[in-house]
Amino acid sequence: MHALSLTEPPSALNVAAAERWTTEPDVDPAPGQLWLMSWNGAEPVAALLTAVRSDYVLAMPVTFEPGEASSSEAITDAARLGTPLVVWYRLETGLGSFLLHRFIGEAASNDDVLALRRGHRGAAVTRYDAGSNPETPTLRQLVNTFARLCHVEWPSETEGDVVVDSGTLAAAGITPRTFAARTGLPVATALALWTNEMTLTPEQAQAVTAAFADIVDNPTTAPHDWIIKSLADPRIKDGILAVAAHTDTGERAARDLVRSTFALAARTPSVADRRRTAIRDAIALLLHE
């Protein structure tokens, strides 16, 4: 299996697909599209989207070497993107939307996707040619690669991405004032934590848990608000990675930093006037520090 690069498209792609290979995407993810997916600067992988959910996608690995396909893979024709694709439909899996990085093009119709998904469940796939090789190392490589990607979470409580579950606390009768009083945190800090503008430090998480142990089972959670969903938009992934490079951190830390900076950027007209969205403002603010 040949390694892929975000800067060098496969030579056989048509002109439009080759240009998209190195261009920030401008479309919403949808079934039938071919995307490059990446995490934390690692080598990207190609995937055919088969379903799009609110915070994740279902996808099948795609490679560009038909000679590596066995009789259990589907080989598309070259009409759509200029080169045949090998769709490893047995390996359909769920992947976080934040992994989406480059839109390459429309690679399959709705009927094609339906046939491939049926193939994943064991039906014969007759819409495409099949390979002729026995099982190859490519299959094992793809299994390992997509298994790793499948287990990447952002946000993740195990990685320290924890916020106050203010909804649960509010349902139990806790107000922001009560929250500040019980935790003993400064009012400004308590309010920022209550509104999820800040993630909890390990010490703060311990203090919050202890303060409300007699009221709720777990007063903390991983954040899943509209900001998180906005940060999963592939249109701003390049900006996230720019923040990671600028701050000499990884993608996870950069996403957390942009999230925590969002509220400040939204209140900064000098930055907001020069950018289209508040999320991009937060990235711009960080890159100019």
Side-chain angles (χ1 to χ4, degrees), residues 151-163:
H151 287 93
V152 175
E153 293 183 334
W154 183 81
S156 170
E157 290 189 62
T158 60
E159 296 288 343
D161 304 324
V162 182
V163 295

PDB file of all heavy atoms in Angstrom, residues 151-163:
ATOM      1  N   HIS A 151     -10.593   4.612  17.218  1.00  0.00           N
ATOM      2  CA  HIS A 151     -10.502   4.805  18.666  1.00  0.00           C
ATOM      3  C   HIS A 151     -10.010   6.201  19.061  1.00  0.00           C
ATOM      4  O   HIS A 151      -9.854   6.484  20.249  1.00  0.00           O
ATOM      5  CB  HIS A 151      -9.591   3.742  19.285  1.00  0.00           C
ATOM      6  CG  HIS A 151     -10.219   2.376  19.328  1.00  0.00           C
ATOM      7  ND1 HIS A 151     -10.043   1.438  18.333  1.00  0.00           N
ATOM      8  CD2 HIS A 151     -11.052   1.808  20.235  1.00  0.00           C
ATOM      9  CE1 HIS A 151     -10.724   0.348  18.633  1.00  0.00           C
ATOM     10  NE2 HIS A 151     -11.353   0.540  19.771  1.00  0.00           N
ATOM     11  N   VAL A 152      -9.767   7.057  18.064  1.00  0.00           N
ATOM     12  CA  VAL A 152      -9.413   8.443  18.388  1.00  0.00           C
ATOM     13  C   VAL A 152     -10.691   9.189  18.740  1.00  0.00           C
ATOM     14  O   VAL A 152     -11.647   9.219  17.965  1.00  0.00           O
ATOM     15  CB  VAL A 152      -8.721   9.133  17.193  1.00  0.00           C
ATOM     16  CG1 VAL A 152      -8.476  10.606  17.519  1.00  0.00           C
ATOM     17  CG2 VAL A 152      -7.409   8.451  16.860  1.00  0.00           C
ATOM     18  N   GLU A 153     -10.719   9.794  19.915  1.00  0.00           N
ATOM     19  CA  GLU A 153     -11.871  10.573  20.355  1.00  0.00           C
ATOM     20  C   GLU A 153     -11.458  12.006  20.621  1.00  0.00           C
ATOM     21  O   GLU A 153     -10.384  12.272  21.164  1.00  0.00           O
ATOM     22  CB  GLU A 153     -12.464   9.992  21.654  1.00  0.00           C
ATOM     23  CG  GLU A 153     -13.099   8.633  21.521  1.00  0.00           C
ATOM     24  CD  GLU A 153     -13.716   8.176  22.837  1.00  0.00           C
ATOM     25  OE1 GLU A 153     -13.251   8.631  23.906  1.00  0.00           O
ATOM     26  OE2 GLU A 153     -14.664   7.387  22.792  1.00  0.00           O
ATOM     27  N   TRP A 154     -12.292  12.918  20.217  1.00  0.00           N
ATOM     28  CA  TRP A 154     -12.154  14.308  20.640  1.00  0.00           C
ATOM     29  C   TRP A 154     -13.552  14.925  20.645  1.00  0.00           C
ATOM     30  O   TRP A 154     -14.262  14.868  19.645  1.00  0.00           O
ATOM     31  CB  TRP A 154     -11.254  15.127  19.709  1.00  0.00           C
ATOM     32  CG  TRP A 154     -11.129  16.514  20.290  1.00  0.00           C
ATOM     33  CD1 TRP A 154     -10.290  16.905  21.294  1.00  0.00           C
ATOM     34  CD2 TRP A 154     -11.923  17.657  19.954  1.00  0.00           C
ATOM     35  NE1 TRP A 154     -10.519  18.226  21.598  1.00  0.00           N
ATOM     36  CE2 TRP A 154     -11.519  18.709  20.793  1.00  0.00           C
ATOM     37  CE3 TRP A 154     -12.950  17.882  19.037  1.00  0.00           C
ATOM     38  CZ2 TRP A 154     -12.090  19.974  20.733  1.00  0.00           C
ATOM     39  CZ3 TRP A 154     -13.528  19.149  18.981  1.00  0.00           C
ATOM     40  CH2 TRP A 154     -13.084  20.184  19.814  1.00  0.00           C
ATOM     41  N   PRO A 155     -13.944  15.467  21.768  1.00  0.00           N
ATOM     42  CA  PRO A 155     -13.242  15.470  23.057  1.00  0.00           C
ATOM     43  C   PRO A 155     -13.289  14.092  23.716  1.00  0.00           C
ATOM     44  O   PRO A 155     -14.095  13.248  23.342  1.00  0.00           O
ATOM     45  CB  PRO A 155     -14.024  16.495  23.877  1.00  0.00           C
ATOM     46  CG  PRO A 155     -15.394  16.470  23.283  1.00  0.00           C
ATOM     47  CD  PRO A 155     -15.235  16.182  21.825  1.00  0.00           C
ATOM     48  N   SER A 156     -12.412  13.916  24.705  1.00  0.00           N
ATOM     49  CA  SER A 156     -12.325  12.637  25.399  1.00  0.00           C
ATOM     50  C   SER A 156     -12.061  12.873  26.877  1.00  0.00           C
ATOM     51  O   SER A 156     -11.087  13.541  27.239  1.00  0.00           O
ATOM     52  CB  SER A 156     -11.191  11.793  24.807  1.00  0.00           C
ATOM     53  OG  SER A 156     -10.926  10.656  25.591  1.00  0.00           O
ATOM     54  N   GLU A 157     -12.916  12.317  27.700  1.00  0.00           N
ATOM     55  CA  GLU A 157     -12.714  12.472  29.141  1.00  0.00           C
ATOM     56  C   GLU A 157     -11.408  11.838  29.589  1.00  0.00           C
ATOM     57  O   GLU A 157     -10.737  12.336  30.494  1.00  0.00           O
ATOM     58  CB  GLU A 157     -13.890  11.853  29.902  1.00  0.00           C
ATOM     59  CG  GLU A 157     -15.190  12.625  29.763  1.00  0.00           C
ATOM     60  CD  GLU A 157     -16.265  12.111  30.705  1.00  0.00           C
ATOM     61  OE1 GLU A 157     -16.057  12.178  31.930  1.00  0.00           O
ATOM     62  OE2 GLU A 157     -17.302  11.640  30.201  1.00  0.00           O
ATOM     63  N   THR A 158     -11.029  10.728  28.955  1.00  0.00           N
ATOM     64  CA  THR A 158      -9.793  10.054  29.355  1.00  0.00           C
ATOM     65  C   THR A 158      -8.557  10.881  29.018  1.00  0.00           C
ATOM     66  O   THR A 158      -7.493  10.668  29.583  1.00  0.00           O
ATOM     67  CB  THR A 158      -9.678   8.676  28.691  1.00  0.00           C
ATOM     68  OG1 THR A 158      -9.690   8.848  27.261  1.00  0.00           O
ATOM     69  CG2 THR A 158     -10.832   7.778  29.092  1.00  0.00           C
ATOM     70  N   GLU A 159      -8.702  11.829  28.075  1.00  0.00           N
ATOM     71  CA  GLU A 159      -7.580  12.689  27.695  1.00  0.00           C
ATOM     72  C   GLU A 159      -7.649  14.042  28.402  1.00  0.00           C
ATOM     73  O   GLU A 159      -6.905  14.965  28.066  1.00  0.00           O
ATOM     74  CB  GLU A 159      -7.568  12.901  26.184  1.00  0.00           C
ATOM     75  CG  GLU A 159      -7.333  11.636  25.381  1.00  0.00           C
ATOM     76  CD  GLU A 159      -5.906  11.147  25.478  1.00  0.00           C
ATOM     77  OE1 GLU A 159      -5.026  11.938  25.881  1.00  0.00           O
ATOM     78  OE2 GLU A 159      -5.660   9.971  25.155  1.00  0.00           O
ATOM     79  N   GLY A 160      -8.564  14.183  29.341  1.00  0.00           N
ATOM     80  CA  GLY A 160      -8.652  15.419  30.109  1.00  0.00           C
ATOM     81  C   GLY A 160      -9.592  16.464  29.560  1.00  0.00           C
ATOM     82  O   GLY A 160      -9.607  17.600  30.040  1.00  0.00           O
ATOM     83  N   ASP A 161     -10.367  16.101  28.537  1.00  0.00           N
ATOM     84  CA  ASP A 161     -11.327  17.055  27.974  1.00  0.00           C
ATOM     85  C   ASP A 161     -12.628  16.970  28.765  1.00  0.00           C
ATOM     86  O   ASP A 161     -13.601  16.351  28.335  1.00  0.00           O
ATOM     87  CB  ASP A 161     -11.599  16.734  26.501  1.00  0.00           C
ATOM     88  CG  ASP A 161     -10.328  16.703  25.673  1.00  0.00           C
ATOM     89  OD1 ASP A 161      -9.436  17.516  25.952  1.00  0.00           O
ATOM     90  OD2 ASP A 161     -10.234  15.869  24.765  1.00  0.00           O
ATOM     91  N   VAL A 162     -12.653  17.582  29.940  1.00  0.00           N
ATOM     92  CA  VAL A 162     -13.787  17.446  30.853  1.00  0.00           C
ATOM     93  C   VAL A 162     -14.359  18.823  31.159  1.00  0.00           C
ATOM     94  O   VAL A 162     -13.624  19.780  31.404  1.00  0.00           O
ATOM     95  CB  VAL A 162     -13.360  16.758  32.173  1.00  0.00           C
ATOM     96  CG1 VAL A 162     -14.551  16.585  33.094  1.00  0.00           C
ATOM     97  CG2 VAL A 162     -12.718  15.410  31.881  1.00  0.00           C
ATOM     98  N   VAL A 163     -15.681  18.911  31.134  1.00  0.00           N
ATOM     99  CA  VAL A 163     -16.359  20.157  31.485  1.00  0.00           C
ATOM    100  C   VAL A 163     -17.418  19.862  32.541  1.00  0.00           C
ATOM    101  O   VAL A 163     -17.751  18.701  32.818  1.00  0.00           O
ATOM    102  CB  VAL A 163     -17.035  20.809  30.259  1.00  0.00           C
ATOM    103  CG1 VAL A 163     -15.995  21.245  29.242  1.00  0.00           C
ATOM    104  CG2 VAL A 163     -18.049  19.863  29.637  1.00  0.00           C
TER     105      VAL A 163
END
